[in-house]
Amino acid sequence: MAGNWKMHGDQARLTRLAAEIAAAKPAVDVLVCPPFVYLAAVAEALGGSSVRLGAQDVADQQEEGAYTGEVSAVMVADLQCEYALVGHSERRALYGDTNERVAAKFLAAQAAGICPVLCVGETLQQREQGATDKVVGEQLDAVLTTAGIQAFANAVVAYEPVWAIGTGKTATPEQAQEVHANIRARLAERDATIAAQIRILYGGSVKGANAKDLFSRQDIDGGLVG
């Protein structure tokens, strides 16, 4: 289960929440992704707990340089981050992250020793046009072509239908399972072992009322919760 806190809260609120999560000693793997400016404080609040720390994004450049405002994967790794989201729907929609740029971020994260959480998903218009598999496939293929299937041995994929994020709408467990199964099958075409082992998370208005049904599906391995 991954928690993406987006651009919400302040240091006191987020460190308190992180400490509460850590104190609960969750029986499942938990990852929290606070805003960049709170990474160090949240890392301290998590202490030596089993809760993992991740960044919400990384720069697509691997080398040092004059990239004002960017935060490199090496920098977030220096702050105890083990994971980083890449290709989140909001990054794609609001900041123009293309499939190619997402692939570069995926590589930059892995080069810094960080496990990328590759986010993929379609808009409502694309789903209504029957283009879900095409869109998600192209998003996956951009990374597969650049990084190769072996890179997915140390990666997570998160399916987040854009039309179900913050809208109150949720893909039915059957809809979500279908896409997850297609993602796994696409990876299996390249390497069946990696496809069977990779975690594929679902993100899109996950809540207590639907979590059990969603996570009981064969190819849904957890949630990406905002």
Side-chain angles (χ1 to χ4, degrees), residues 91-214:
R91 296 295 316 177
R92 294 178 188 267
L94 300 178
Y95 301 102
D97 279 12
T98 63
N99 289 341
E100 292 71 28
R101 189 177 189 204
V102 171
K105 290 183 176 187
F106 184 102
L107 286 175
Q110 287 196 331
I114 290 175
C115 178
V117 181
L118 173 63
C119 301
V120 298
E122 82 284 13
T123 65
L124 180 59
Q125 181 181 21
Q126 289 164 338
R127 170 162 281 274
E128 290 177 339
Q129 292 173 343
T132 296
D133 289 345
K134 178 178 183 293
V135 170
V136 172
E138 289 173 349
Q139 292 169 343
L140 276 174
D141 286 350
V143 180
L144 284 165
T145 300
T146 302
I149 184 60
Q150 291 301 318
F152 283 79
N154 182 38
V156 176
V157 175
Y159 168 57
E160 44 164 15
V162 181
W163 51 273
I165 299 173
T167 63
K169 297 180 179 180
T170 309
T172 66
E174 292 78 16
Q175 288 173 321
Q177 164 58 25
E178 180 181 8
V179 178
H180 279 238
N182 289 341
I183 291 172
R184 203 178 299 278
R186 198 176 195 92
L187 297 175
E189 291 174 359
R190 313 251 184 147
D191 190 300
T193 300
I194 289 175
Q197 294 175 348
I198 194 169
R199 294 186 183 188
I200 307 177
L201 310 181
Y202 172 74
S205 296
V206 176
K207 47 187 177 290
N210 61 22
K212 183 177 180 180
D213 199 2
L214 282 166

Side-chain angles (χ1 to χ4, degrees), residues 3-88:
N4 172 22
W5 293 342
K6 303 190 178 183
M7 200 167 71
H8 296 300
D10 52 32
Q11 181 168 310
R13 175 183 168 190
L14 296 187
T15 54
R16 182 172 63 251
L17 178 56
E20 290 172 354
I21 294 172
K25 297 180 179 179
V28 297
D29 293 334
V30 175
L31 163 68
V32 294
C33 299
F36 286 130
V37 294
Y38 300 134
L39 282 170
V42 170
E44 183 177 357
L46 293 176
S49 75
S50 63
V51 179
R52 310 268 61 94
L53 182 68
Q56 295 182 2
D57 191 31
V58 292
D60 55 344
Q61 297 88 4
Q62 293 188 34
E63 72 284 358
E64 293 183 349
Y67 305 111
T68 300
E70 290 292 278
V71 179
S72 74
V74 172
M75 290 175 176
V76 298
D78 196 32
L79 292 175
Q80 303 177 40
C81 281
E82 298 177 60
Y83 294 82
L85 305 181
V86 296
H88 191 281

